[in-house]
Amino acid sequence: MCTGGCAKCLGGTLIPLTVFGFLANVLLFFPGGKVIDDNVNLSDEVWFFGGILGSGVLMIFPALVFLGLRNNDCCGCCGNESCGKRCAMFTSTIFAAIGFLGAGYSFIISAISINKGPKCFTVNGTWAYPFHNGDYLGDKALWSKCREPADVVPWNLSLFSILLVIGIIQMLLCAIQVINGLLGTLCGDCQCCGCCGGNGAV
């Protein structure tokens, strides 16, 4: 597969991951699937918009750029027909780096939140973080420390885990595109210059 075709494949994979990350972050604003009375009682990490900003907004642009590379017209410059493609592939590495940082941001926020646990109405009658250093992860009995919202612990744990996995996959795909983009920059796309063994190959 040529570098342009590979980039399109990566972009097509990033699009649904971006949508899932965005939706997961939105659902975190409804702990336990319910509307909370006071937004101050939401976990702080929800407001960092890891899925909306990191795995969402900062990822959609690289994904669209990757998708467009396969359809690049290979317009040349200075008599070199592969020049346009090389420039496009180099640009894609920059967007891939931006996407990597966005996914990394989402990954870090998710990891911190999973370790910290959700903010909830505790048995002490106050809104607080009842868990410490991820102790609740290995002891389900501790979940009873959260009285409200109902099922907030599995809700937050599931959604932030999804964001964590999405962030890892997105970082991996962006890293692959950095390598792919550098290869495309150095040798052009096979459709333009026959780098992959022939003109017009796919």
Side-chain angles (χ1 to χ4, degrees):
M1 180 183 291
C2 301
T3 54
C6 178
K8 184 176 182 179
C9 179
L10 295 174
T13 305
L14 284 173
I15 292 295
L17 290 174
T18 299
V19 174
F20 290 145
F22 186 93
L23 292 177
N25 200 150
V26 171
L27 289 174
L28 285 168
F29 284 96
F30 305 94
K34 301 175 181 63
V35 177
I36 199 168
D37 294 332
D38 190 346
N39 288 336
V40 174
N41 296 325
L42 286 171
S43 298
D44 292 338
E45 291 73 25
V46 175
W47 295 103
F48 292 159
F49 302 109
I52 294 176
L53 179 61
S55 290
V57 175
L58 290 179
M59 191 59 63
I60 192 65
F61 295 111
L64 294 176
V65 169
F66 300 166
L67 286 172
L69 286 175
R70 185 66 180 84
N71 299 321
N72 188 280
D73 60 7
C74 295
C75 56
C77 59
C78 301
N80 185 354
E81 66 176 1
S82 68
C83 178
K85 199 67 162 182
R86 290 172 190 267
C87 292
M89 293 304 296
F90 177 73
T91 302
S92 76
T93 63
I94 298 176
F95 278 94
I98 294 174
F100 185 91
L101 292 176
Y105 173 75
S106 179
F107 172 83
I108 292 173
I109 295 301
S110 300
I112 291 175
S113 182
I114 291 174
N115 182 66
K116 187 178 181 181
K119 187 177 186 179
C120 60
F121 188 75
T122 68
V123 292
N124 296 327
T126 59
W127 287 89
Y129 294 94
F131 310 119
H132 305 282
N133 298 321
D135 55 357
Y136 73 102
L137 296 174
D139 189 355
K140 196 172 182 179
L142 293 176
W143 294 11
S144 60
K145 289 184 177 181
C146 282
R147 297 177 61 183
E148 296 179 7
D151 301 320
V152 65
V153 177
W155 183 269
N156 270 38
L157 180 59
S158 298
L159 292 174
F160 274 116
S161 294
I162 290 173
L163 287 174
L164 187 78
V165 173
I166 288 176
I168 293 174
I169 297 174
Q170 288 178 329
M171 283 192 292
L172 177 61
L173 294 178
C174 285
I176 292 174
Q177 178 52 29
V178 168
I179 297 173
N180 181 57
L182 291 175
L183 289 174
T185 301
L186 293 174
C187 71
D189 188 74
C190 60
Q191 192 173 25
C192 293
C193 64
C195 179
C196 296
N199 293 324
V202 177

